[in-house]
Amino acid sequence: MTYYIIGQVVAGYLRIGHARTALTVQIVEDNDHRLFTQVMAPSIVVEALADAPEHTGSTFFRVFDALREIDHQVTAIANAWQSAGGRQERLEVREKIFGYLRHLAHSIERKGRQARRRTPHAELRSRQQRPIHKAFDDVQAARPEDFFRDSRTDSIVVAGKNGRSHVYNEQGRHITSLCLLRDEFQRRRNRRRYVPLPGKTIKQFVAAVTAAQPGT
């Protein structure tokens, strides 16, 4: 597919073990003048972003938050870009996009600093904005095709709404919740990291999750 790069931000270095890595975030336009966000990074960075536990206040989860924010912003402005009737309108939308990218660069830098000085109160407030509280509801509402086994960690992954994913152990204890970047969930399925869970195991798992709830 041919596309035109409207703007981009390169962020780094991000440390993963002893490696120093970087990622590139692009706002691009396709042949139909549709806008979308494109993240270009080594697979080790993509995995680190998707797997970063939200309850630790890790730098990678804060970077993930910033990426999710700009993706939502670009989705919201895409119609205005497509319907722009003249050069001036297109320039106004383009300037907003550049503003989003500047904010992204600043946000990634700020979130990295916050990770080193986060207070317990701020951590609690941040956790309240995560999809953790939706975990049990999403399990109850999930269809059979929404349950998977993570072949790498042997945990159970439940796909919820709006990109939410919830990770449990076999005994029904909630481990963490994620909001995977667009296409990352499908990529993990394609690589057979996420394998569909058999029906019998699903019933046992849902029963275990229910039994593990407080007051049951």
Side-chain angles (χ1 to χ4, degrees):
M1 180 180 69
T2 302
Y3 56 83
Y4 172 70
I5 300 174
I6 306 297
Q8 68 179 16
V9 165
V10 180
Y13 288 107
L14 302 172
R15 290 191 174 275
I16 304 178
H18 297 294
R20 293 199 307 170
T21 62
L23 61 85
T24 300
V25 181
Q26 298 178 334
I27 309 302
V28 301
E29 176 190 38
D30 66 12
N31 290 334
D32 296 321
H33 303 294
R34 293 175 300 190
L35 291 182
F36 61 94
T37 308
Q38 179 169 274
V39 179
M40 304 174 65
S43 59
I44 188 175
V45 175
V46 175
E47 292 288 337
L49 289 170
D51 288 338
E54 78 287 342
H55 59 275
T56 64
S58 71
T59 298
F60 277 101
F61 197 87
R62 300 189 194 290
V63 172
F64 174 86
D65 266 350
L67 293 174
R68 182 171 53 182
E69 179 182 6
I70 194 171
D71 188 54
H72 290 167
Q73 290 171 329
V74 171
T75 299
I77 205 174
N79 288 337
W81 177 264
Q82 280 190 295
S83 61
R87 183 172 181 273
Q88 184 59 38
E89 288 185 35
R90 184 61 63 93
L91 287 175
E92 290 175 0
V93 178
R94 186 189 298 268
E95 185 55 38
K96 288 184 179 180
I97 293 172
F98 290 159
Y100 296 157
L101 288 169
R102 287 192 294 268
H103 177 73
L104 173 67
H106 175 70
S107 183
I108 290 176
E109 179 184 358
R110 185 181 71 249
K111 289 174 186 294
R113 292 198 305 266
Q114 286 176 343
R116 294 189 292 270
R117 62 170 187 259
R118 195 80 162 180
T119 66
H121 174 70
E123 286 294 345
L124 175 60
R125 185 174 58 194
S126 178
R127 285 199 298 271
Q128 291 171 342
Q129 299 171 359
R130 311 301 184 201
I132 294 175
H133 66 287
K134 293 288 188 179
F136 181 69
D137 290 343
D138 281 346
V139 169
Q140 296 300 309
R143 303 161 299 175
E145 57 266 33
D146 295 329
F147 293 86
F148 300 87
R149 172 84 63 186
D150 187 331
S151 60
R152 178 180 298 179
T153 64
D154 203 35
S155 56
I156 293 176
V157 179
V158 182
K161 296 180 179 180
N162 301 320
R164 296 190 300 265
S165 295
H166 308 286
V167 183
Y168 286 82
N169 66 12
E170 194 84 37
Q171 291 71 42
R173 184 177 67 83
H174 180 250
I175 299 173
T176 190
S177 291
L178 312 167
C179 284
L180 295 179
L181 293 172
R182 185 175 299 179
D183 297 333
E184 175 59 20
F185 193 94
Q186 186 60 45
R187 189 177 298 115
R188 292 184 177 201
R189 290 194 62 184
N190 294 342
R191 293 202 306 261
R192 301 292 293 173
R193 174 173 174 178
Y194 287 175
V195 181
L197 207 61
K200 182 179 179 180
T201 306
I202 292 174
K203 291 181 180 179
Q204 295 172 342
F205 167 70
V206 173
V209 171
T210 302
Q213 293 302 299
T216 59

